[in-house]
Amino acid sequence: MADPVTYAATITESELKDHLYTYASDEFEGRETGTEGQKKAVNYLRQHYMDLGIPAAQENGDYFQKVPLEMAKLPKGSIKVSGKEFTLGEDFIAFYPFEGEFDEVVYAGYGIDDEKYSDYQGLDVKGKVILARSGEPMLEDGNYLLSGNNKPSSWGNMSEGIEKRVDAAQSRGARAVLLIDEDNFKRYLRYYERMKDSDRGRLGFADDKENPSLVLVSEDMAKAIFPKLESLKGSYTEEVELFANLQNSNEPIPTENVVAYIKGSEKPDEYIVISSHLDHIGVSRDGSINNGADDDGSGSVAMLEIAEAFQKAVEAGNRPKRSVVFLHVTGEEKGLLGSRYYTDYEPIFPLEKTVANLNIDMIGRIDPKREGDRNYIYLIGSDKLSSDLHRLSEEINDRYTKITLDYTYNDENDPNRFYYRSDHYNFAKNNVPIIFYFNGTHADYHRPGDTPDKINYDLLTNRARLVFHTAWAVANRDQRVMVDKLSK
Ligand SMILES: [Zn+2]
C-alpha cells in the first residue's frame, strides 16, 4: 500500500485558509438553506470538484442532488358546516390542507383503538370524516380503564394522545380527524399565531403531509355538526353537509446536496462517506451575517482538501480500493434534512454497502474548556457500532497525527447528546459505523462572531489530515470495517 503521508501533506494551512475566507465571507450571506448565499456555496463546492476532475456521484453527472423542501405556511380557506362558515384560527386550527365535500360525519367517541378498548369496533370509517374527543374511558371505581389504575394511559397524554388518534384513524382509512381537545386547542393556537405572525413555519420535506388531516375544533363547531353532542354515547353517524376548502400554501424551497466521488479500484461497490454540512443559519434579524466559519465552513473546506489529497493519490496511480464519497449536505441547521434525504429517501449508493461515515462538523476552533491544551478533538460515536473502527481510528492517529482524542461527549449520559445532533446520526441509525469530529462549542457558536479570522488553521490542518488518514485506512485495508454492535 502506498504511503499516504505525501498526499496528506497536500492538505495545507494556506489552502484551507484561502477556501474558508471565500466560503465564510459575507458574500455567501451565512449560507442559509434555500437562499442565494447558499447557491453561491454549492456552486463553489461543485466548481472545486470539477477543477480537480473528481466526478459527480450521481449517474447523470449532476453534482447536485436535489432535496425537495418546503417552507410550511398556514393553509388558506375555511370549513363550512351546513352552509355556515367556520374560521381558521378561531373556530378550528389546522396546519395541513384538507379539501373535500362530505355528507356525513362519524362520531367516534375518544377515537381510541387499543387492544383493551376500541371506539372503532363495528365502525367503517374508510374515506370518512370522523369526530373524536380527548380523554379516555374510566372504570366505576375511578380508575382508568386502559391502565387499570389511577394513572392515565398514553391515549390521555397531550402530545402522544393526538399522534395515536391520527395513527388509528389512518390505519382505519379515515379521511380526516376532527378533534375536540381544549388543552391542545390552546397549545396549537399559540403555535398557529406564531406562524401567522412570521408567515412561516418549519422547513420540511415536500411530502411530509399529515394524512389523514387533523383539525382541532371548538366545542361550538362540533355542536354545529352534532347538535346532540353532549348526549352521544358510543359511535354515531350524523348526516350533515361538510365542505372543507383548506388549501396548501406551502412554499417550495429548492435546495441541494453536493455529492462527488472517487471510484474504488478493487472494491468499487463498497463506500466510505465523508460528510459535512454546507449550510449555516444565514442573516440575523438585525442584519448581521452569521458567516459560520467554524460551523461548518471548517468541515466543508476540510473536505475539499481531503478530496484533493485523494485525487492526487489517484493521479499517482494510488486509487483507493474502496470508493470514497464526498457528501456536502444541506439543511443541517433545519433538522439534519439533507443527510436524512440522502439516507431515507435517495441514497445514491446503497447503505448496506456503506462501510463507514466520517462526519465533520466544526473542527477549526478551541473549546474554552480546553484552552492551553489545544491539540485535541472530540470524537463521538467511533465505538458505538464498531470496535474495529474505533481501534483503527486510534491507531491511525497515533501513527500520523498525534491529536488528543477526547471522548467526553461520547458518553451516553452526556446531556448534550451530540451523537444525535449532526448528520452522521442518519447513517448510524442505519447501522453504518460513524465517527463524528467536533471541536465543541464556543462563545461564537451560531453567532455573527463565527468568522474565518478566528479559525486555528494549524489545528484545522492537522484535524483534516486525521480524517484523511482514517478514510484512507478504511478505504484501503483488506477487511471491511466490522459492525459488532447494532443500534436499537
Ligand atoms: Zn454544524
Side-chain angles (χ1 to χ4, degrees), residues 277 295-296 332-333 361-362 422 445-446:
H277 67 89
D295 185 9
D296 187 19
E332 191 271 352
E333 306 283 8
D361 192 355
M362 300 167 61
S422 186
Y445 175 71
H446 281 201

Side-chain angles (χ1 to χ4, degrees), residues 173-323:
R175 176 66 190 82
V177 189
L178 313 182
L179 189 64
I180 312 170
D181 182 339
E182 213 182 318
D183 292 339
N184 271 314
F185 193 98
K186 284 185 202 142
R187 184 164 72 121
Y188 279 62
L189 184 61
R190 284 195 294 274
Y191 186 57
Y192 172 90
E193 289 189 328
R194 267 206 306 277
M195 255 178 97
K196 200 175 165 181
D197 287 346
S198 62
D199 189 36
R200 51 175 39 201
R202 289 170 66 99
L203 200 58
F205 292 118
D207 68 342
D208 267 2
K209 301 274 187 293
E210 188 115 319
N211 198 12
S213 312
L214 171 69
V215 182
L216 284 135
V217 296
S218 67
E219 192 89 17
D220 280 354
M221 184 167 165
K223 278 182 185 155
I225 305 170
F226 293 95
K228 290 178 283 184
L229 182 69
E230 259 141 38
S231 58
L232 289 182
K233 292 225 161 53
S235 61
Y236 178 79
T237 299
E238 182 81 41
E239 290 189 10
V240 59
E241 254 177 48
L242 187 133
F243 177 57
N245 177 32
L246 280 181
Q247 288 167 9
N248 186 6
S249 55
N250 289 349
E251 180 194 340
I253 302 288
T255 183
E256 51 276 311
N257 294 330
V258 180
V259 204
Y261 101 124
I262 291 177
K263 192 172 181 172
S265 56
E266 287 176 25
K267 297 179 187 323
D269 296 335
E270 290 184 9
Y271 306 89
I272 294 93
V273 175
I274 306 175
S275 59
S276 59
H277 67 89
L278 63 88
D279 66 304
H280 190 55
I281 58 170
V283 181
S284 295
R285 240 169 254 201
D286 66 3
S288 45
I289 297 172
N290 297 282
N291 298 111
D294 192 27
D295 185 9
D296 187 19
S298 62
S300 304
V301 302
M303 261 174 72
L304 297 181
E305 285 288 289
I306 292 166
E308 185 182 357
F310 270 105
Q311 184 64 2
K312 288 263 157 61
V314 169
E315 285 160 10
N318 292 310
R319 186 174 281 277
K321 289 180 183 165
R322 293 182 180 79
S323 296

Side-chain angles (χ1 to χ4, degrees), residues 333-351:
E333 306 283 8
K334 310 291 179 192
L336 316 183
L337 296 175
S339 55
R340 186 146 72 89
Y341 187 78
Y342 182 92
T343 59
D344 297 10
Y345 290 75
E346 210 186 314
I348 296 176
F349 303 110
L351 296 177

Side-chain angles (χ1 to χ4, degrees), residues 3-204:
D3 185 359
V5 171
T6 344
Y7 310 118
T10 68
I11 300 173
T12 64
E13 273 188 51
S14 67
E15 288 182 10
L16 286 163
K17 198 170 187 172
D18 274 357
H19 282 307
L20 197 56
Y21 266 86
T22 306
Y23 198 73
S25 67
D26 283 356
E27 198 196 330
F28 285 50
E29 296 168 346
R31 306 184 302 277
E32 184 171 15
T33 296
T35 64
E36 275 304 305
Q38 193 188 49
K39 272 280 176 277
K40 288 182 182 159
V42 297
N43 286 332
Y44 185 84
L45 299 173
R46 177 175 63 179
Q47 193 57 48
H48 179 78
Y49 290 101
M50 288 167 70
D51 291 347
L52 288 174
I54 299 176
Q58 294 184 122
E59 256 174 39
N60 66 5
D62 193 346
Y63 288 89
F64 294 163
Q65 176 183 41
K66 295 197 171 55
V67 179
L69 297 182
E70 274 185 359
M71 177 61 71
K73 301 256 178 172
L74 292 170
K76 287 200 166 59
S78 66
I79 297 177
K80 280 183 189 163
V81 179
S82 310
K84 182 173 183 329
E85 183 159 35
F86 288 87
T87 308
L88 176 63
E90 287 175 25
D91 306 307
F92 69 92
I93 301 167
F95 297 99
Y96 294 92
F98 171 34
E99 291 176 85
E101 270 185 85
F102 306 87
D103 51 18
E104 59 178 29
V105 177
V106 180
Y107 179 75
Y110 295 111
I112 292 174
D113 197 6
D114 198 90
E115 274 174 20
K116 274 193 185 167
Y117 169 92
S118 176
D119 286 299
Y120 287 93
Q121 210 141 50
L123 215 56
D124 176 16
V125 299
K126 222 181 186 81
K128 294 178 184 171
V129 176
I130 65 168
L131 182 123
R133 57 163 69 250
S134 59
E136 56 180 313
M138 308 293 290
L139 293 166
E140 275 177 22
D141 62 7
N143 282 329
Y144 290 89
L145 184 151
L146 284 168
S147 65
N149 56 42
N150 61 3
K151 298 206 175 61
S153 76
S154 52
W155 291 91
N157 178 290
M158 225 170 133
S159 309
E160 220 185 325
I162 277 208
E163 271 174 50
K164 288 177 79 109
R165 281 170 175 81
V166 171
D167 286 350
Q170 179 179 30
S171 65
R172 298 279 177 164
R175 176 66 190 82
V177 189
L178 313 182
L179 189 64
I180 312 170
D181 182 339
E182 213 182 318
D183 292 339
N184 271 314
F185 193 98
K186 284 185 202 142
R187 184 164 72 121
Y188 279 62
L189 184 61
R190 284 195 294 274
Y191 186 57
Y192 172 90
E193 289 189 328
R194 267 206 306 277
M195 255 178 97
K196 200 175 165 181
D197 287 346
S198 62
D199 189 36
R200 51 175 39 201
R202 289 170 66 99
L203 200 58

Side-chain angles (χ1 to χ4, degrees), residues 433-453:
I434 66 102
I435 304 178
F436 172 27
Y437 301 86
F438 176 51
N439 54 221
T441 55
H442 42 76
D444 293 318
Y445 175 71
H446 281 201
R447 309 198 66 145
D450 184 4
T451 49
D453 55 296

